[in-house]
Amino acid sequence: MSSLTNPNIFTVSRLNAEVRLLLENEMGIVWLIGEISNFSAPVSGHWYLTLKDSRAQVKCAMFRGNNRRVTFKPQNGQQVLVKARLSLYEPRGDYQLIIESMQPEGDGRLQQQFEELKMKLAAEGLFAQTSKRALPEHPQCVGIVTSKTGAALFDILDVLKRRDPSLPVVIYPTMVQGEEAAIQIAQAIGRANSRNECDVLIVGRGGGSLEDLWCFNNEVLARTIAASQIPIISAVGHEVDVTIADFVADMRAPTPSAAAELVSRDNSHKDQALNSRQHKLASAMRYYLSEQRQQATVLLHRLERQHPNNQLQRQSQQLDELSARLQRAISKRIDVQQQKLQQQQHKIALHSPIKRLANQQASLQRLEQKLLDAMDRKLLNARHQLALAAEKLDTVSPLATLKRGYSITQTAHGRVITQATDVKTGDTLVTRLSDGEVRSTVN
C-alpha cells in the first residue's frame, strides 16, 4: 500500500508538523531560567540563542516583534527568566522555545512569583469584591501599621491633623522592608484585631523598588489582611506601585496621604462618601480589568498558536538559516577559487618567459665574455706569431744584408743586375745602399 494512501505511514514533513502542533497545543506557556549562549542577532531583527544550565541546553528564537520590548541587551553568560511557548523547527526537526518576554533573572523571578501568587489568591476568591468589608462612614479611631520612622507615618499624621485633629490614632510600629517585614506586619494586624481598639486600619509605606515593596507581596500577609475583622486600607508606595496587599485589602489608596484623607472627616462628608465609592469602583474596575486581561491573555495565546504570523516567523527563521548557509558556501567557494588562483599564479611564475629571458640574457653575457676572452687570447697569440715571423723575416731580409755593407744594383726598370753581361754601355744603373741609392751610367 502506498504511503500516500495509508494514514498510518508518515512522511518526515508530516511527522514534524504533527509534533510541532502537539508541543504547541499541549505544553502552552512555560517559564524558564537559564544562561544565554550562542546569542546572534542577524539583519532580520530576530534573535537566536541557546539557554543552558549545568546539564542541558535548549535552542530558542525571539522574533522581532517581541524582542523590541526587551529593555536590556542580552549577553552570552547572562542569567535570564523567559516566558516562552514550546515549538518545533520543522526543517531540522529540532524542538525550540519561541520566547515572548525576557527579563534578568532577579527582576523576572520576582515578577513571576508576583503573577503566580496573584493568580492563586484570585482563584481562591480573596480579591472578590463581595468579600470586601465596607469602611466605617465615621471612624472613631484609626490604626496605622507602618514604620515609626518612615515618611509615610508623618504624611498620614499631617493629613489627619489638618482634616480631623480630634480623631484618635493608634500606631502599630513594624518593619516595612526586608525578609522579616511581612511577618511583623501580619503580627501588627493581629495585635490590632485582638485589641479591637480601632475601627479601620491603614497598612502601608512610602514608594520604592519592587524589592523594597516585596514584603507586601507575601502570601501570609495577604491571608492575614483577608482574615482581618477590621477593614484595612492598603497604602503601599506611589500610585503606580501595585502589590498583592492592594488586591486583598478592603480598599486601596494610591498613597499614604490619600489613605488618611479617606478615613478623616472634614466639612464635605458627601465628597468623602463619593470619593470612597469612587475608590471602591476604581478598585472593582481594576480587579475586573485584571481578570479580563488574564482572560484576554489566554485567548491571545490560543490565537497566536493559530495565527499565520507563526508560520511567517518559522519561515523567517528558516530564511535566516539559509542566508547563513549561503554566506558560508560563498565564502568557502571564494576561498577555493583564491587557492586555485594562487596555484595558477605560482605555475605561471615558474614558466614565465621573463625568468627564461633573464636566464638567456645571463647565458648570453657569459658567452660574450668567453668570446671576448677567446679573441684576446687569439689576438695575443697572433701577435706573438707575428713577432716570431718578423724576427725570422728580418734575418733573411735584404735590408739586413745592405746594412752589413752590401748593395743591390738594378736597371732603370728595376731589374736586378746579377751578371756583367746584363748591362751595356749607356745603361743607367741604380745602386741601392742601406741608407739610400746611387745612380750611375755604364761607360
Side-chain angles (χ1 to χ4, degrees):
M1 180 181 294
S2 172
S3 61
L4 297 178
T5 58
N6 188 346
N8 296 323
I9 299 178
F10 284 76
T11 63
V12 175
S13 300
R14 179 188 166 200
L15 175 64
N16 285 352
E18 293 285 346
V19 172
R20 178 180 62 79
L21 292 175
L22 184 64
L23 289 174
E24 292 179 351
N25 294 331
E26 294 298 326
M27 290 296 295
I29 298 297
V30 297
W31 291 86
L32 187 69
I33 292 178
E35 177 185 333
I36 294 177
S37 65
N38 300 323
F39 178 81
S40 65
V43 295
S44 62
H46 309 317
W47 290 351
Y48 302 102
L49 59 134
T50 300
L51 286 180
K52 65 178 183 178
D53 55 23
S54 60
R55 293 186 299 176
Q57 63 181 19
V58 60
K59 293 182 178 180
C60 306
M62 190 172 192
F63 296 110
R64 182 172 52 196
N66 291 325
N67 62 37
R68 286 176 176 172
R69 297 191 294 269
V70 178
T71 58
F72 65 98
K73 179 64 175 178
Q75 302 289 336
N76 288 329
Q78 185 176 15
Q79 290 283 340
V80 293
L81 172 72
V82 301
K83 183 176 77 170
R85 53 184 173 85
L86 201 59
S87 183
L88 181 114
Y89 184 54
E90 297 180 30
R92 286 199 307 265
D94 294 340
Y95 96 91
Q96 64 179 4
L97 292 177
I98 306 300
I99 299 176
E100 296 184 356
S101 67
M102 178 185 298
Q103 295 174 317
E105 179 185 2
D107 296 343
R109 189 187 295 272
L110 292 180
Q111 188 65 34
Q112 181 192 17
Q113 293 175 3
F114 176 86
E115 294 293 339
E116 290 176 350
L117 180 58
K118 178 182 174 183
M119 294 179 64
K120 176 181 178 181
L121 298 181
E124 295 180 16
L126 268 68
F127 300 167
Q129 194 64 32
T130 55
S131 65
K132 306 294 184 183
R133 290 170 295 275
L135 299 182
E137 191 169 347
H138 301 292
Q140 301 302 311
C141 182
V142 176
I144 304 174
V145 179
T146 188
S147 171
K148 63 181 179 181
T149 60
L153 175 60
F154 297 102
D155 291 342
I156 293 172
L157 294 177
D158 286 342
V159 173
L160 294 179
K161 182 178 180 180
R162 173 174 53 83
R163 289 173 58 86
D164 194 355
S166 63
L167 181 64
V169 176
V170 178
I171 300 173
Y172 302 93
T174 178
M175 296 175 59
V176 290
Q177 183 173 334
E179 295 182 359
E180 300 179 0
I183 300 301
Q184 288 194 15
I185 296 171
Q187 291 172 347
I189 295 174
R191 286 197 304 273
N193 277 268
S194 63
R195 294 179 184 179
N196 196 24
E197 55 194 353
C198 302
D199 49 9
V200 64
L201 281 177
I202 297 175
V203 179
R205 55 154 288 165
S209 65
L210 180 62
E211 291 83 355
D212 296 337
L213 305 179
W214 190 248
C215 61
F216 292 93
N217 293 319
N218 182 273
E219 183 176 357
V220 173
L221 176 58
R223 296 188 183 279
T224 301
I225 293 174
S228 173
Q229 297 302 312
I230 302 175
I232 292 179
I233 300 174
S234 175
V236 180
H238 303 298
E239 187 172 1
V240 295
D241 300 320
V242 179
T243 66
I244 296 297
D246 295 331
F247 292 106
V248 182
D250 299 295
M251 180 170 291
R252 186 241 182 185
T255 63
S257 298
E261 292 183 357
L262 288 174
V263 299
S264 60
R265 296 185 298 269
D266 61 4
N267 295 326
S268 55
H269 298 296
K270 294 182 178 180
D271 291 341
Q272 180 180 349
L274 178 62
N275 288 335
S276 176
R277 288 181 174 83
Q278 286 177 340
H279 284 294
K280 286 184 178 180
L281 177 61
S283 179
M285 286 299 298
R286 279 193 295 270
Y287 176 73
Y288 175 76
L289 290 177
S290 176
E291 291 291 323
Q292 293 300 314
R293 194 175 294 112
Q294 291 180 1
Q295 184 176 1
T297 301
V298 174
L299 295 176
L300 179 62
H301 289 159
R302 290 175 57 187
L303 177 62
E304 286 179 347
R305 286 196 294 268
Q306 308 298 329
H307 200 281
N309 188 46
N310 290 336
Q311 179 68 19
L312 293 176
Q313 290 177 346
R314 287 191 293 272
Q315 292 177 351
S316 179
Q317 181 179 358
Q318 186 176 8
L319 178 61
D320 286 336
E321 181 180 356
L322 293 175
S323 298
R325 289 174 56 188
L326 177 61
Q327 189 67 32
R328 290 193 298 270
I330 292 175
S331 299
K332 184 177 181 181
R333 182 64 179 271
I334 291 175
D335 291 340
V336 171
Q337 294 300 323
Q338 286 180 341
Q339 290 178 0
K340 289 183 178 180
L341 179 60
Q342 291 175 354
Q343 292 174 356
Q344 295 297 329
Q345 289 176 341
H346 181 66
K347 289 181 179 180
I348 290 174
L350 291 177
H351 298 87
S352 174
I354 297 176
K355 187 174 181 180
R356 294 178 60 189
L357 181 59
N359 292 335
Q360 293 295 330
Q361 287 177 340
S363 177
L364 179 60
Q365 290 176 353
R366 289 194 298 271
L367 292 175
E368 286 179 349
Q369 188 61 42
K370 289 174 65 177
L371 177 60
L372 291 174
D373 293 343
M375 290 177 62
D376 289 342
R377 289 194 299 272
K378 187 71 173 178
L379 183 57
L380 182 61
N381 187 42
R383 287 176 179 172
H384 181 66
Q385 294 296 328
L386 178 59
L388 293 177
E391 185 179 356
K392 289 182 181 180
L393 182 60
D394 187 60
T395 57
V396 297
S397 174
L399 296 177
T401 302
L402 294 177
K403 287 181 180 180
R404 291 198 298 274
Y406 293 97
S407 63
I408 300 174
T409 303
Q410 298 173 313
T411 65
H413 302 290
R415 183 168 57 83
V416 178
I417 303 300
T418 59
Q419 298 177 4
T421 58
D422 290 335
V423 299
K424 60 183 181 292
T425 302
D427 289 341
T428 300
L429 300 179
V430 179
T431 301
R432 187 170 183 180
L433 304 174
S434 61
D435 59 351
E437 61 183 16
V438 176
R439 291 183 178 271
S440 60
T441 301
V442 179
N443 295 323

